[in-house]
Amino acid sequence: MKKDMRYICYPFMREKPSTVDFEIRTDSLTTRIGLAASLTKDIPRVYEDLMYLAPMAYHVNGSVRGKLAITEEDLQILSDMYDFYVSEVEGRVDIFVLPQGSTAACELHVCRSEAKKSVRALHKVSVEREVPEILFDYTQLLANVLFAMAVYVNKHHEVEEIQFVSKSYPMRKKKKVED
């Protein structure tokens, strides 16, 4: 007798919701990184970095239930990546910007948002079980890298950033640096 596949309950559905939700979030993040990579083949540095980050997002995914797969070296590589992109977009990220621009940059903003959702889902897991701090550090930094990449891609495509000025929060005045 053939089983009706619609009624098979997969084992992960019986697990705690926070763990499953985290894995779904990081799977979505990885999928979006792959899409962003497909849109950045014209910018080899970004494409290569995204192809590096896609499996890293899956390593974050498995590090909650399985063996910790994120190392201090991985965190340093991500930190170096962040430093590169921020140095390349200096002056363009001093303001809060709208997530807009080229299609590739917009997809990178979606990736950034997915990374932030992953951090939140990881927090929910940490309420139920111990979560290594490095996973928080990595996913939070990943969101920042993806933001800087989005701005870098816009710069490459000669798209100006559009400042967002909140009507809800007052603008903070920058402190003057005294000599």
Side-chain angles (χ1 to χ4, degrees), residues 148-165:
M149 274 184 175
V151 175
Y152 179 84
V153 167
N154 271 343
K155 178 183 174 186
H156 176 82
H157 290 134
E158 299 179 351
V159 175
E160 290 298 317
E161 298 302 325
I162 299 171
Q163 182 175 8
F164 172 74
V165 179

Side-chain angles (χ1 to χ4, degrees), residues 6-22:
R6 293 176 295 172
Y7 300 107
I8 292 178
C9 181
Y10 293 99
F12 68 85
M13 294 303 290
R14 289 183 237 130
E15 294 181 26
K16 293 204 178 226
S18 63
T19 304
V20 174
D21 291 345
F22 173 73

